[in-house]
Amino acid sequence: MNYSPTYNEVGKRIRLSRILRNDRAVVFAFDHGVEHGPSDFPPEHVNPRVILEKVVDAGVDAIMMLPGIARLTWDIWGNKTALIIKVTSKTNLRPKDERLLQSPFGFVEDAVALGADAVAATVYWGSQYEDLMLQRWFTIRDAAETYGLPCLQLAYPRGPAIANRYDVEIVRYGARAAAESGADLIKTYYTGSLETFREVVKAASGVPVLMSGGPRREKEIDFLRDVWNVIQAGGKGVVVGRNVFQHKNPKAMIKAVKAVVHENKTPEEAVKLLEQ
Ligand SMILES: O=P(O)(O)OC[C@H]1O[C@](O)(COP(=O)(O)O)[C@@H](O)[C@@H]1O
């Protein structure tokens, strides 16, 4: 008997294919306005329309942002890139010990209304608020499932018992926990080498893993090498913010990252796109 997929399964598959193009993705992370504050942006990129125009022109596959900014910039990304709506966030205005918790920042229904291809939510594995974040994760995932929306989990291990959040044992634990919690896409930290990131991919048990860009690298080639290692390790791409919007030429940076992720160019070949 032929198995017919459910409506949700069809919806998730189609939406996921808009983000993972030929099984790879370059996603622009743009939720920093809340998570870090406007001080994260160089003056010319405080205006979201300016930086989004650049990354859309550069052909980024998807943009991850909070509902409010998506609403204010729809004419720039609409029908041009895939859209991932993050529905959790937190500010650094909070008391320090409350920053390991992300609060609801919109609803899955907002993502549906905006025409999103996925929702995203953060889980700080190891946080003293892990239990609360998991309750929120499963509520989000449950609603997303109903609407046929894939769920990207920002699986960020951090908490009082975690000395080094980038250690492979910690990162791969978070990736495995993300897979076990039903994430359709996992975004997590780079572990510093191809070999260690391969362990993260294995722990993710077949769920696509995307590297979180992290703080801006001094040299672009170093970032491109990290991306290249992630791809060689079986990762499916990158979700990058600061290494693009803090760069003097975000368009060229997106194109260089795409060259590594989608065209299998080496970092040395890709970095030439920044010298043009
Ligand atoms: O690791 P931090 O400082 O909490 O940064 C979280 C930020 O990093 C991201 O996960 C990825 O963006 P970056 O490429 O700038 O690291 C953002 O989505 C998020 O706002």
Side-chain angles (χ1 to χ4, degrees):
M1 192 263 279
N2 265 342
Y3 166 68
S4 306
T6 63
Y7 295 167
N8 329 55
E9 284 162 350
V10 168
K12 279 180 74 169
R13 192 177 296 275
I14 290 174
R15 291 185 176 94
L16 215 43
S17 72
R18 294 182 191 141
I19 297 166
L20 284 170
R21 304 236 168 228
N22 302 319
D23 203 28
R24 298 272 180 86
V26 175
V27 181
F28 180 58
F30 193 51
D31 59 315
H32 303 65
V34 176
E35 197 128 344
H36 288 173
S39 61
D40 235 19
F41 304 117
E44 68 275 18
H45 292 152
V46 173
N47 178 343
R49 300 181 64 83
V50 170
I51 180 64
L52 286 178
E53 246 153 36
K54 291 178 184 176
V55 299
V56 170
D57 285 356
V60 76
D61 296 314
I63 300 169
M64 181 185 75
M65 49 189 154
L66 298 167
I69 289 292
R71 181 171 72 111
L72 294 171
T73 57
W74 64 273
D75 54 311
I76 295 173
W77 51 265
N79 297 318
K80 296 200 186 84
T81 67
L83 174 66
I84 302 172
I85 290 293
K86 186 157 179 276
V87 291
T88 68
S89 195
K90 54 92 190 165
T91 71
N92 286 336
L93 299 173
R94 284 184 176 177
K96 213 158 168 52
D97 66 354
E98 290 175 29
R99 294 179 198 171
L100 289 186
L101 169 63
Q102 293 222 350
S103 301
F105 208 93
F107 301 96
V108 169
E109 288 75 7
D110 298 327
V112 174
L114 284 161
D117 300 292
V119 287
T122 298
V123 176
Y124 292 137
W125 295 101
S127 157
Q128 63 271 38
Y129 300 105
E130 184 186 278
D131 173 61
L132 183 47
M133 294 187 90
L134 282 174
Q135 289 175 46
R136 290 171 176 170
W137 163 258
F138 284 106
T139 301
I140 290 163
R141 192 188 165 284
D142 186 50
E145 201 66 28
T146 305
Y147 293 109
L149 275 176
C151 272
L152 163 66
Q153 183 179 120
L154 290 81
Y156 287 171
R158 55 179 81 169
I162 292 174
N164 173 12
R165 65 176 67 161
Y166 304 107
D167 178 86
V168 56
E169 284 309 312
I170 300 293
V171 177
R172 79 182 186 128
Y173 195 157
R176 179 52 177 256
E180 304 235 13
S181 62
D184 298 298
L185 284 167
I186 297 167
K187 166 182 173 199
T188 193
Y189 304 131
Y190 180 57
T191 47
S193 71
L194 192 164
E195 294 69 27
T196 54
F197 203 80
R198 190 175 284 132
E199 296 311 308
V200 176
V201 172
K202 276 187 216 157
S205 310
V207 179
V209 181
L210 302 171
M211 163 188 139
S212 180
R216 184 150 163 345
R217 306 309 188 274
E218 261 321 293
K219 294 195 208 101
E220 297 99 336
I221 185 93
D222 292 339
F223 182 72
L224 294 170
R225 279 204 186 100
D226 292 350
V227 176
W228 192 80
N229 282 338
V230 161
I231 297 296
Q232 300 308 310
K236 298 300 183 189
V238 61
V239 184
V240 51
R242 287 164 283 183
N243 279 277
V244 169
F245 64 67
Q246 291 177 355
H247 192 274
K248 62 183 182 302
N249 188 345
K251 256 186 179 176
M253 195 60 185
I254 289 282
K255 288 183 176 169
V257 173
K258 283 180 68 180
V260 172
V261 171
H262 284 297
E263 299 159 34
N264 295 315
K265 292 281 190 283
T266 64
E268 292 68 24
E269 291 166 328
V271 79
K272 292 195 177 86
L273 294 168
L274 288 153
E275 288 147 16
Q276 285 166 4

